[in-house]
Amino acid sequence: VDRYQSLMNAGQYLPSFITQLTGITNAMVQAAPPADTVMREAAAFVGAAPLVAHNASFDSKFWLDELERAGCPVAQPVASLFTCTVLLSRRLYPEAPSHSLGNIVRHLHLPPADKAHRALADAEMTAHLLLRMQSDLRSRWQIADPVHGLLNGLQRCPKKNLPRWLAESAAR
């Protein structure tokens, strides 16, 4: 529906390997708005919407720490805030050779990103992956409404209990 994108100046020097990985230079960061400004804008953009990330245990720490530094309250209980597409992909696509974002996107023949390891590009790939997962939950497992709360339960479901969990979720 909409996008928010901004570099932020966190007052930190970027090592050369980050520049090689992302294409973001120290000059770009120096010209960017301060981190607290960007986080307040991002928090206002997100509002109370649930968040989705590929490897959410990594991203959520940065999100929560930066929100705290910017003085922004967290809109939801932390445990239910993020859905993790890595955890979901491990449960829904155990046959995939890898569950890294680029590899699972290729495995499922989803649109790749122009600039991998950049927030907006990775977010768009993650969105395509999430939509595919929701579609597969509807078509393969007859789960009528695979919303955020259901996905949070699925990502915490032990793999050995997955068939029963999916069957029970479809019956609801």
Side-chain angles (χ1 to χ4, degrees):
V1 176
D2 205 354
R3 291 184 174 107
Y4 176 87
Q5 172 179 237
S6 179
L7 292 176
M8 69 168 96
N9 185 343
Q12 300 292 317
Y13 178 81
L14 294 179
S16 60
F17 82 91
I18 295 293
T19 298
Q20 290 174 329
L21 181 67
T22 66
I24 300 170
T25 66
N26 281 295
M28 293 164 70
V29 170
Q30 289 299 316
D36 61 339
T37 299
V38 173
M39 289 308 297
R40 282 193 291 276
E41 290 174 359
F45 178 80
V46 169
L51 297 169
V52 177
H54 201 73
N55 195 9
S57 66
F58 178 81
D59 292 335
S60 63
K61 292 173 190 163
F62 290 103
W63 177 257
L64 295 170
D65 287 349
E66 290 298 329
L67 283 179
E68 185 177 324
R69 282 192 189 107
C72 296
V74 176
Q76 297 182 36
V78 174
S80 65
L81 186 61
F82 280 85
T83 290
C84 180
T85 53
V86 167
L87 296 176
L88 293 172
S89 71
R90 288 178 182 154
R91 280 150 185 79
L92 298 177
Y93 312 110
E95 76 287 354
S98 167
H99 297 277
S100 70
L101 184 56
N103 287 336
I104 194 71
V105 161
R106 276 189 293 284
H107 176 74
L108 297 172
H109 308 289
L110 299 172
D114 290 334
K115 295 181 178 183
H117 302 293
R118 293 289 289 267
L120 184 59
D122 286 358
E124 289 175 348
M125 284 195 303
T126 301
H128 287 292
L129 177 58
L130 176 68
L131 291 171
R132 170 65 182 271
M133 291 172 170
Q134 289 174 313
S135 175
D136 287 347
L137 284 165
R138 285 183 193 100
S139 64
R140 291 170 59 187
W141 290 287
Q142 290 70 52
I143 296 175
D145 197 15
V147 296
H148 186 73
L150 183 129
L151 297 173
N152 272 350
L154 176 56
Q155 72 188 16
R156 287 191 298 272
C157 177
K159 291 178 187 178
K160 67 180 182 171
N161 298 342
L162 191 60
R164 184 175 51 103
W165 191 95
L166 289 166
E168 289 171 1
S169 294
R172 288 185 210 143

